[in-house]
Amino acid sequence: MNRKELLRSLKFILFSLSAGIIELGVFSLLNELTGWSYWPCYLIALTLSVVWNFTLNRRYTFQSASNVPRAMALVLAFYCVFTPASTWLGHYLADVLGWNEYLVTALNMIANFVLEFLYDRFVVFRDSLDTNSVARRAEKRGPSGGDR
């Protein structure tokens, strides 16, 4: 793995951790304060974390200047598959089998992290990596960080 891809992976991890904090925080509040079943708490928390994660990763991790509605539509397509599958699995594990809701949420978050990175990197931003103003400024500074 080259240095640029390693840095991209590290950024994705950090932004995903921040999205995970948002997801767990919202999930915890809803789960503890509303008395709702697993799935509505999970869906609301997931939606908020996805918007946060998409915004940061598009700009800073993948540094994409691609068409935002197109990129969002591709991410929506991912979540049209992932969300029902993870919601059903979460409901089954937490509400039917009685698994701990936080363990189930953590497992869903890990699956989301791995699958979304691969999907974003190789589908959503494949042809637009490093094309935005952040990438252009970094290119001008050069590999050492100084001006050329």
Side-chain angles (χ1 to χ4, degrees), residues 59-138:
R59 177 154 176 85
Y60 298 107
T61 302
F62 300 107
Q63 298 181 350
S64 174
S66 70
N67 181 300
V68 175
R70 180 186 175 282
M72 289 179 87
L74 287 170
V75 171
L76 177 64
F78 171 83
Y79 280 100
C80 282
V81 174
F82 180 82
T83 302
S86 62
T87 302
W88 177 83
L89 180 63
H91 163 72
Y92 181 75
L93 294 174
D95 295 337
V96 176
L97 296 183
W99 287 27
N100 180 280
E101 296 93 348
Y102 295 98
L103 171 63
V104 173
T105 300
L107 292 173
N108 273 332
M109 289 172 71
I110 292 167
N112 187 11
F113 166 75
V114 172
L115 295 172
E116 187 177 2
F117 177 80
L118 294 172
Y119 184 79
D120 284 354
R121 172 64 180 84
F122 296 108
V123 176
V124 177
F125 301 115
R126 174 188 64 216
D127 296 327
S128 67
L129 291 173
D130 305 321
T131 57
N132 71 6
S133 61
V134 175
R136 286 193 303 274
R137 281 193 302 274

